[in-house]
Amino acid sequence: MTDVTMTVNGKTVSGTVEGRTLLVQFLRDSLGLTGTHVGCETSQCGACTIHMDGQSVKSCSMLAVQADGASITTIEGLSDGGELHPVQAAFREHHGLQCGFCTPGMIMAATDMIRRHPEGLDENTVREELEGNICRCTGYHNIVKAIMAASEAVNTASSRAA
Amino acid sequence: MYDVTYHRAGSVQEALDLLESADDGKFLAGGQTLIPAMKTRLAAPSDLVDLRHIAELQTISVAGKTVTIGAGTTHAKVAANSEIGSVCPALSHLAALIGDPQVRHMGTIGGSLANNDPAADYPAAMLALAATIVTSKREIAARDFFIGLFETALDEDELITAIRFEAPEKAGYGKFPNPASRYAMTGVFVVQDGETVRAAVTGAGDDGVFLCSELESALSADFSAAALDGITVPADSLMTDIHASADYRASLIVAMARRAVTMAIG
Ligand SMILES: Cc1cc2nc3c(=O)[nH]c(=O)nc-3n(C[C@H](O)[C@H](O)[C@H](O)COP(=O)(O)OP(=O)(O)OC[C@H]3O[C@@H](n4cnc5c(N)ncnc54)[C@H](O)[C@@H]3O)c2cc1C
Ligand code: FES
Ligand code: FES
């Protein structure tokens, strides 16, 4: 067993894990952050997507000990309170979900995608960038629409702030 | 997954020492191949030596035409590096096509080369660029490095520290991704530099990445997509699996070579 300490959604957390404990298990089982989902065994579905040190990664494909000392954001930490994050709001507005199982991973992938493309996003880029996230329900159409709308909302907000 | 003991190395020397004192240890880079393999118990090392925090493995340098990339550089960093993009945009393009953004944020060039998956992208680039694989023990030419399916010239206790190559005049990469896994069902990397032409094929050979003489002789005579019209590649030593037959891969090789040359000419 190993002790790990990391920042999760802005708070310092510690725990004791086995070497083989996956980061997603630590988040869900030890910290009770069950918004991060597990949808596959093959590292392909992206339901487990979180941010580590500001970048999207699959929390099912890394060990909790690998994240020792890192800063982690999960879907629970995306908005700081009452209001939805603009990407969450856009998914609601554009009906970017049906059963919702893939949604936390989609939203974490989308926020990372928008951050890396301050110049804006076209449909083709969004579809390519969603390569690592699988949805069984929506056919992706409204997810793509939501992400393009969110990208515009985030970029407009940040250019107003500047 | 079987349990495993984790170690974090701060330097190449420390990584080598930690591996030596382990029972059945393995280096862990991005973990994008190794962790999934451990989850399915295809791999069951006693110890993991994490390389991700070793600063000396993370450097990229471009001096004139000489490009050196630290083994711990992620696919995302290779794709985004403007110096690599200006001397060898084909390599940036290749890195940007690997897997998906999440995989590219973790997976590394060293891990990809050590793993030598027959459908991985980087091996084709290394072979066509005649790159040098720099390890903790020696320097290995790419043509001596890739031995077979998932097999390389590396010893168990040998660490890749960097790769190095001379940027050629022209290079291009054409990839037909498997629609589900995104690995190459066939990928062709072409290089032209003065009189030299090399064309390396991944995803198709039944013994891993290889240089394709049919493509090379056609392109040596005339480095253009039109030079590939009517060229056929024998299917004898190509792979047949549930995704594609050897014959289909043979025709994909020519089609992807055409795309690669078109990109190289710009
Ligand atoms: C969903 C998905 C899609 C993918 N798609 C593609 C694709 O399209 N194309 C492609 O090429 N790859 C693809 N990959 C594989 C990906 O590129 C991996 O990152 C890569 O194969 C392994 O790199 P890593 O850093 O993750 O290595 P790890 O998984 O950490 O290690 C792999 C092996 O290399 C050894 N190793 C690691 N670093 C070193 C070193 N410096 N010296 C010696 N040995 C070392 C390890 O001990 C281990 O045996 C995909 C993976 C996933 C999960
Ligand atoms: S649960 Fe992580 S990719 Fe499917
Ligand atoms: S909304 Fe059901 S899996 Fe995407």
Side-chain angles (χ1 to χ4, degrees), chain A:
Chain A
M1 304 291 273
T2 319
D3 294 329
V4 292
T5 300
M6 60 190 87
T7 307
V8 178
N9 299 332
K11 287 197 210 93
T12 304
V13 299
S14 298
T16 306
V17 297
E18 287 187 307
R20 62 178 159 182
T21 304
L22 297 170
L23 179 59
V24 70
Q25 294 170 325
F26 180 66
L27 294 172
R28 288 178 56 88
D29 303 345
S30 306
L31 304 182
L33 295 171
T34 53
T36 303
H37 291 171
V38 177
C40 76
E41 269 293 304
T42 51
S43 307
Q44 281 174 314
C45 78
C48 62
T49 302
I50 53 127
H51 297 173
M52 177 167 70
D53 298 327
Q55 291 190 314
S56 62
V57 298
K58 293 175 181 172
S59 62
C60 74
S61 305
M62 60 180 291
L63 304 172
V65 278
Q66 280 177 278
D68 188 27
S71 173
I72 304 291
T73 306
T74 69
I75 187 74
E76 289 91 344
L78 204 55
S79 131
D80 47 14
E83 269 189 48
L84 292 178
H85 182 277
V87 180
Q88 293 173 309
F91 269 68
R92 185 169 71 176
E93 169 76 20
H94 294 275
H95 196 59
L97 60 147
Q98 288 180 19
C99 79
F101 193 83
C102 70
T103 313
M106 286 286 176
I107 289 179
M108 297 313 282
T111 46
D112 174 77
M113 185 192 311
I114 292 168
R115 173 190 61 79
R116 281 183 291 108
H117 292 276
E119 76 286 3
L121 284 164
D122 58 32
E123 177 176 347
N124 209 17
T125 310
V126 174
R127 288 185 184 273
E128 272 175 17
E129 291 261 344
L130 282 183
E131 193 49 63
N133 293 78
I134 293 176
C135 175
R136 300 175 27 144
C137 303
T138 63
Y140 302 95
H141 193 72
N142 287 353
I143 293 177
V144 174
K145 237 163 70 183
I147 295 175
M148 286 171 59
S151 157
E152 229 161 85
V154 169
N155 290 339
T156 316
S158 62
S159 67
R160 244 190 250 129

